[in-house]
């Protein structure tokens, strides 16, 4: 049965699998008890982009993983009708049960895929949990690369201050000025992953031409965001977010003044505020 599940998962792009004890995983909250024998932790790996790439590798993968995860769950329900999404604290459960480690940047990492994984958790009753003992230690040690590189100074020796992390601001389209200034990719930042030693064996790939075209600054500044939103997920990219972020990147370049002027009449407050910020020191 394990091989059957592994085969199904890999067909849907989930190459990392861990069969965790359902009694020992940590529920998301007290109202979400775990009622399955096993929680299948499934990781969808993705290739990173180059350090200077504005297009976010993670969000492209996250959107693909969301669609693939729905298909994976449906197929698993064909062999285990009780299969369902499991609301667990993924990082804590995976580390407590030895399936992965949490790095200083607060992200799970595995030997094969580093931190470049999108995770989902599925409850099952058709198999028993497996025991895991990673053959490597949480070897962040005194590396400190993510701490030194973090543009928001969110990573310390004591862990991550998530209130400072740029990802903490991504639920809104209207970012504070200091976030606009520090933004490294659309919809957030991947700097801690770029410098992480656990990712050093992963080769960067270049976004394909369709993706580049979707995230072209001129297109986004003109309000043509449909293609980009379809790639990263519409639920997290609405209310003018991508155009507002395009303005933040355009401010570091030349030749975009006329397009940004047009953004001053946008229907979205985030875009108007970003355009005003763009011209603040250009008077």
């Amino acid at each position: 049965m394990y091989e059957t599940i592994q085969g199904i998962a890999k067909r849907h792009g989930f190459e990392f699998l861990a069969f965790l004890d359902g009694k020992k995983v940590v529920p998301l909250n007290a109202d979400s008890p775990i009622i399955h024998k096993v929680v299948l932790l499934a990781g969808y790996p993705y290739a990173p982009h180059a350090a200077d790439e504005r297009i976010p590798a993670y969000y492209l993968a996250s959107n693909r993983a969301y669609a693939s995860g729905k298909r994976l769950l449906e197929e698993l329900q064909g062999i285990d009708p009780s299969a369902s999404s499991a609301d667990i604290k993924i990082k804590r459960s995976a580390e407590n049960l030895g399936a992965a480690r949490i790095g200083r940047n607060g992200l799970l990492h595995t030997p094969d895929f580093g931190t470049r994984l999108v995770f989902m958790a599925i409850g099952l009753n058709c198999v028993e949990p497996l025991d895991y003992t990673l053959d490597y230690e949480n070897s962040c040690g005194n590396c400190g690369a993510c701490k030194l590189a973090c543009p928001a100074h969110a990573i310390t020796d004591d862990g991550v201050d998530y209130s400072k992390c740029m990802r903490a601001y991504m639920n809104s389209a209207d970012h504070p000025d200091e976030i606009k200034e520090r933004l490294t990719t659309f919809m957030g930042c991947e700097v801690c992953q770029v410098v992480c030693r656990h990712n050093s064996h992963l080769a960067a790939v270049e976004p394909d031409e369709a993706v580049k075209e979707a995230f072209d600054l001129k297109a986004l500044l003109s309000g043509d965001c449909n293609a980009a939103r379809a790639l990263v997920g519409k639920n997290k990219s609405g209310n003018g977010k991508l155009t507002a972020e395009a303005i933040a990147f355009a401010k570091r370049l030349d030749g975009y003044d006329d397009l940004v002027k047009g953004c001053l009449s946008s229907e979205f407050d985030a875009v108007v505020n970003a355009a005003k910020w763009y011209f603040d020191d250009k008077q």
Side-chain angles (χ1 to χ4, degrees), residues 156-208:
T156 70
D157 289 334
D158 298 322
V160 180
D161 182 345
Y162 290 102
S163 68
K164 293 182 179 180
C165 177
M166 278 196 276
R167 287 276 178 87
Y169 295 89
M170 293 302 111
N171 289 329
S172 169
D174 199 358
H175 307 324
D177 291 351
E178 60 268 23
I179 298 301
K180 296 187 189 80
E181 293 167 357
R182 296 171 178 171
L183 207 64
T184 63
T185 68
F186 284 97
M187 302 180 68
C189 176
E190 298 187 10
V191 168
C192 67
Q193 298 196 79
V194 171
V195 302
C196 180
R197 62 192 294 176
H198 301 295
N199 295 332
S200 61
H201 62 294
L202 302 176
V205 299
E206 189 173 344
D208 64 35

Side-chain angles (χ1 to χ4, degrees), residues 66-127:
Y66 175 76
S68 293
K70 291 176 67 175
R71 294 191 292 269
L72 169 61
L73 178 57
E74 290 173 359
E75 191 164 351
L76 289 177
Q77 287 171 338
I79 60 174
D80 182 351
S82 72
S84 64
S85 295
D87 293 326
I88 67 167
K89 293 185 178 180
I90 286 176
K91 288 189 287 188
R92 189 188 302 178
S93 297
E95 181 164 72
N96 286 352
L97 297 177
R101 300 292 191 198
I102 302 174
R104 178 174 282 139
N105 61 3
L107 300 175
L108 279 181
H109 58 82
T110 70
D112 291 337
F113 304 110
T115 66
R116 297 293 188 170
L117 286 159
V118 182
F119 289 99
M120 71 176 297
I122 297 174
L124 298 171
N125 286 312
C126 60
V127 289

